[in-house]
Structure formats: structure tokens, C-alpha cells
Amino acid sequence: MNPLAAPLALDGGALGHLMRSARWLYPIVEIVHIFGFVLLVGSVLMFDLRLLGLNRQLPLTLMSRHLLRWSMASLLLVVPAGLLMFSAHPQDFIGNRVFLLKMTLIMTAGLNAAIFHTGVWRGVAKWDSGQAAPASARAHAALSMLLWLSVIACGRLLAYT
């Protein structure tokens, strides 16, 4: 069975047709997607900047609890909006190298976050406030920033590829 059969079937479906034919639906969904990414990447970047040493007096655990809520809430906007946009032109997206790179970068960013939270983050009590985060935590933060900014660049480049 072709693993692309289900995504490509969206092209002929009612949802894909609606996304292509309703004049303002695609732009509205795209705005929701962008707004969600602002919340997601903004939250991530604020946390990463703190890990890199900005405002060391702010406890990381407190920032994490606060910003994680915003990150999770943003996924309620980003994921459904992204799927709706994908449903409008699945064949175009699946064949687009920039889209595939964007998806790979998102998965890599998620993996980076998972490794960070199951690894170095477990020792945060030692460097929660007033001290520099360990080099490995700073490396995760720098990689996170690079990955998410690259995701944004790919998302923007999709309009031109």
C-alpha cells in the first residue's frame, strides 16, 4: 500500500475542495497558522534565550511552567491550520522539497526538545536561577533557535517554491 495514498486522497475530498474554493478560508486559516507559530516560536525563543544566559535571575522552572502552556496552546492553532492548508494542495506539498525540509526541521526540533527534557533538564535544580546553564543545555537552546528560525524561513519560502 502506498503510504502517500491517504494524504493524496485529501486532494479530491470535500475539505480540500472547500479550502480551495472558499475565497477567504485559506487566507484566514493561514493567518491562524502564522499566529500560532508566533506563539510557539516566541515561547521557545524566550526559553532558549534564558538558557543561553539572558536574565539569569529568572528561574528556569518558573519560565518553563509559564511558557510551556503557551507552547501547548499554540499547537491547537498550528496543527489543525497546517492540516487544513495541506488538504488544499497535498500533491504540491508532498512534492515540494522546502515543505519536506520544513517537516524534517519540525521533527528534529521536537527530538531536540525531547532529548533536552529527558536529559540535562533533569538537573535544573542545580542551575535554575542565578547560574549559567550547563554547556549541553546551551547547545540544545542554540540548536532549538536555529531549527525554529529555519522552520519559519521554510514556511515563508513555500510561497515561492
Side-chain angles (χ1 to χ4, degrees):
M1 183 172 178
N2 181 357
L4 299 178
L8 293 176
L10 291 171
D11 195 36
L15 185 58
H17 176 72
L18 180 64
M19 285 296 294
R20 286 187 302 274
S21 62
R23 182 175 182 92
W24 291 102
L25 186 56
Y26 196 97
I28 289 168
V29 169
E30 190 171 28
I31 289 167
V32 169
H33 189 68
I34 291 168
F35 179 69
F37 249 103
V38 166
L39 289 176
L40 175 63
V41 177
S43 299
V44 169
L45 291 180
M46 293 303 295
F47 186 75
D48 289 342
L49 287 170
R50 169 56 187 90
L51 279 172
L52 290 173
L54 194 67
N55 295 318
R56 285 188 186 154
Q57 73 277 9
L58 295 174
L60 277 160
T61 52
L62 181 64
M63 286 190 71
S64 175
R65 279 194 303 272
H66 177 71
L67 295 173
L68 187 59
R69 287 185 209 135
W70 288 102
S71 296
M72 291 296 116
S74 72
L75 293 176
L76 297 174
L77 299 173
V78 172
V79 173
L83 291 172
L84 285 170
M85 291 188 305
F86 179 84
S87 75
H89 307 285
Q91 291 181 344
D92 293 341
F93 284 119
I94 287 175
N96 187 310
R97 288 184 181 191
V98 174
F99 176 77
L100 297 176
L101 177 59
K102 179 182 175 184
M103 294 300 107
T104 301
L105 290 166
I106 290 170
M107 288 187 290
T108 305
L111 181 61
N112 180 54
I115 292 169
F116 170 78
H117 283 284
T118 58
V120 68
W121 179 251
R122 291 178 182 232
V124 69
K126 298 173 190 163
W127 41 272
D128 188 27
S129 182
Q131 295 184 36
S136 59
R138 294 191 311 269
H140 279 286
L143 179 58
S144 171
M145 292 175 74
L146 176 67
L147 289 167
W148 285 114
L149 293 174
S150 297
V151 168
I152 291 170
C154 286
R156 190 62 202 122
L157 288 172
L158 280 173
Y160 302 101
T161 59

